[in-house]
Amino acid sequence: MPAPGSREKSDKRRQAVLEAAVSCFARKGFYGTTTNEIAERAGISQPYLYRLFANKQTLFAHAVFHVSELMTTTIAAHIAEAGPAPQPPESNLRTARSAYGSLIQDREVLRFLMHANCAADEPLVGDAVRWCYAKQVELISELLGSDEAVRQWFGAGMLENVTLALGL
């Protein structure tokens, strides 16, 4: 167990807060969620939450970074499991779609991403969302190799998001 006040304990607490934030923001969005709700879900006090994150915008932006990293690692892990590199782009596309599909089956992740798009008018949130998309474009470009494939990836992904969100 990490020592009280240790960096490791603080990092674990930040991770727990980010997971709680994703869950809370997924339900009520940026504007409907209070930092007190997130603190309660994470099992910490609201003042401690503000020691970890300067404000609600900063917390939301870090939650976007957290989900972006989850997306990147999930897709990369599925690609790595698919076999020795390099795989043909079509194979990578199928594997990446499968990975993304399994990730958004967690409806909290899906709803959080949708709420992140809706809150992009908030300066820090908008920057984080743009960074998240840029990171995904970079990853998918690397895997698929063409601008057209990237456009198809995002088009299919957006359709899959809406379809799953509406329960179709």
Side-chain angles (χ1 to χ4, degrees):
M1 175 158 191
S6 73
R7 180 79 171 147
E8 183 181 348
K9 182 178 180 184
S10 181
D11 289 347
K12 286 185 179 185
R13 189 69 75 184
R14 284 176 72 84
Q15 184 69 22
V17 170
L18 289 173
E19 290 170 6
V22 168
S23 181
C24 291
F25 286 132
R27 273 191 249 99
K28 297 196 307 187
F30 176 78
Y31 301 104
T33 302
T34 67
T35 54
N36 192 53
E37 292 169 320
I38 296 166
E40 284 180 13
R41 182 159 182 111
I44 62 171
S45 68
Q46 189 176 27
Y48 187 63
L49 183 138
Y50 281 110
R51 285 183 62 206
L52 297 172
F53 300 96
N55 54 43
K56 186 172 157 181
Q57 256 194 59
T58 302
L59 173 57
F60 196 96
H62 279 271
V64 170
F65 297 144
H66 169 73
V67 169
S68 180
E69 184 64 27
L70 178 63
M71 290 168 60
T72 300
T73 57
T74 299
I75 292 169
H78 276 75
I79 295 292
E81 289 173 9
Q87 294 288 324
E90 307 80 38
S91 176
N92 283 344
L93 178 61
R94 279 191 304 278
T95 303
R97 278 199 176 133
S98 174
Y100 182 73
S102 69
L103 181 66
I104 64 170
Q105 288 299 316
D106 177 347
R107 297 197 42 134
E108 284 187 348
V109 169
L110 172 63
R111 285 189 207 134
F112 175 80
L113 289 168
M114 294 180 118
H115 281 296
N117 291 333
C118 293
D121 282 345
E122 298 296 329
L124 289 177
V125 174
D127 289 346
V129 170
R130 282 185 289 281
W131 180 88
C132 177
Y133 277 111
K135 191 82 169 151
Q136 301 316 306
V137 167
E138 180 183 307
L139 173 67
I140 299 304
S141 292
E142 190 177 298
L143 294 174
L144 305 181
S146 79
D147 290 345
E148 181 57 31
V150 171
R151 280 191 289 282
Q152 288 176 0
W153 163 265
F154 279 97
M158 293 296 175
L159 179 60
E160 192 171 355
N161 288 353
V162 171
T163 301
L164 187 59
L166 295 175
L168 301 175

